[in-house]
Amino acid sequence: MSAQRTSLVVLTGAGISADSGLATFRGGGGLWEGHRVEDVATPQAWRRDPALVWRFYQLRRRALGTVEPNAAHRGLTELAAECAARDVAFTLVTQNVDDLHERAGSAVLHMHGELAQLRCERCDALVRDLERLELDVYVPCASCSHARLRPDIVWFGEMPYFLDAIDEALRACTHFVSIGTSGVVYPAAGFLSVARDVGARTIVNSLDPPENLDPRDDFRAGRASEVVPGLVAELLQDL
Ligand code: APR
């Protein structure tokens, strides 16, 4: 029988970008940048009040220009490069819609979509755009001439992206690392238990213990920008 190939899956959430200056979702009195989630992050909200939702996401898209990747994003890029050099499988999955992983040089599966991308609500054409950032002007679709693109964000009630690829990586993983997520939003919150079930070593970094933490997990409390670089060095010893 051949030995199982070493295989890492890393899942990140809002906490990894908190040290770059982007607000997390939970912890602000249940409000996200002053809004209830259902007023800005559901398909119903987009149908009911597209101007409010558009404005909200235009502000988030603008905010990307004011922040930079931090040591945690960069550490994961280094980890991926070392894994590639050692023929270790590596999959980075994020719930974040910011572009800090890619700006740090990582390839990443954005399971909840991306602020940097717009999608036609009629023909599904995708456009990468961080230029047209006016708050009250929709971006029209160049493919089908529909009057407005929507943010390419997976809203509550919609199906996250890349679930098949993520499931395949999880079922093969020997190491699973969760960084900066509260572990309450599914399906991402369930990845930790899938990894445990396949016998992976599970490591969790967050400021507060997440909802889905289990005594079998190796919990590292602290800021991602301080914890992740050391964790990467440790993992590289182990691979
Ligand atoms: N370093 C590490 N962890 C941090 C830091 C930090 N500097 N700051 C905050 N955290 C931790 C918090 O302790 C918390 O556990 O990050 C987590 C942030 O949790 P949430 O705000 O709930 O973010 P997340 O888990 O990514 O949210 C999941 O919810 O609304 C949706 O779609 C949205 O993708 C998002 C999903």
Side-chain angles (χ1 to χ4, degrees):
M1 216 169 72
S2 64
Q4 189 184 3
R5 184 184 178 203
T6 306
S7 175
L8 270 71
V9 176
V10 178
L11 172 70
T12 65
I16 195 170
S17 297
D19 290 343
S20 293
L22 293 174
T24 59
F25 296 96
R26 291 160 191 85
L31 294 180
W32 178 23
E33 301 281 349
H35 292 275
R36 294 185 315 151
V37 159
E38 50 276 36
D39 290 338
V40 289
T42 62
Q44 294 82 354
W46 177 243
R47 282 197 292 274
R48 193 170 55 236
D49 193 347
L52 172 80
V53 175
W54 180 250
R55 195 181 170 85
F56 177 81
Y57 282 99
Q58 287 293 76
L59 287 169
R60 308 277 79 70
R61 284 154 47 77
R62 279 183 178 188
L64 295 183
T66 68
V67 294
E68 296 293 332
N70 64 56
H73 298 101
R74 290 192 295 274
L76 294 178
T77 304
E78 183 195 336
L79 181 59
E82 282 296 324
C83 284
R86 300 176 194 195
D87 195 28
V88 167
F90 179 86
T91 306
L92 176 59
V93 181
T94 190
Q95 298 168 87
N96 298 343
V97 294
D98 65 56
D99 59 355
L100 294 178
H101 281 303
E102 43 272 63
R103 279 164 57 196
S106 282
V108 57
L109 299 177
H110 276 280
M111 63 180 293
H112 290 169
E114 301 178 58
L115 285 168
Q117 196 154 271
L118 301 169
R119 176 158 59 84
C120 181
E121 56 181 345
R122 190 161 75 188
C123 77
D124 270 344
L126 289 171
V127 181
R128 291 198 80 77
D129 183 293
L130 277 175
E131 303 291 321
R132 290 172 285 184
L133 297 173
E134 282 178 78
L135 297 188
D136 300 316
V137 181
Y138 294 118
V139 176
C141 179
S143 300
C144 76
S145 305
H146 184 59
R148 62 183 190 207
L149 300 171
R150 58 167 274 182
D152 188 27
I153 301 293
V154 176
W155 285 324
F156 283 91
E158 297 184 318
M159 184 66 87
Y161 297 152
F162 305 115
L163 289 182
D164 288 346
I166 296 168
D167 190 59
E168 195 179 322
L170 281 174
R171 295 198 179 279
C173 79
T174 54
H175 298 67
F176 178 85
V177 183
S178 166
I179 301 168
T181 171
S182 55
V184 297
V185 173
Y186 283 80
F191 296 169
L192 193 51
S193 79
V194 176
R196 272 185 228 116
D197 287 350
V198 299
R201 179 177 167 204
T202 53
I203 305 169
V204 176
N205 161 244
S206 178
L207 282 187
D208 320 297
E211 286 282 315
N212 56 353
L213 192 69
D214 180 279
R216 287 168 288 177
D217 304 325
D218 177 357
F219 179 56
R220 312 286 180 94
R223 306 178 77 88
S225 61
E226 290 165 5
V227 172
V228 172
L231 182 56
V232 166
E234 207 183 294
L235 282 166
L236 289 176
Q237 297 277 318
D238 201 31
L239 297 177

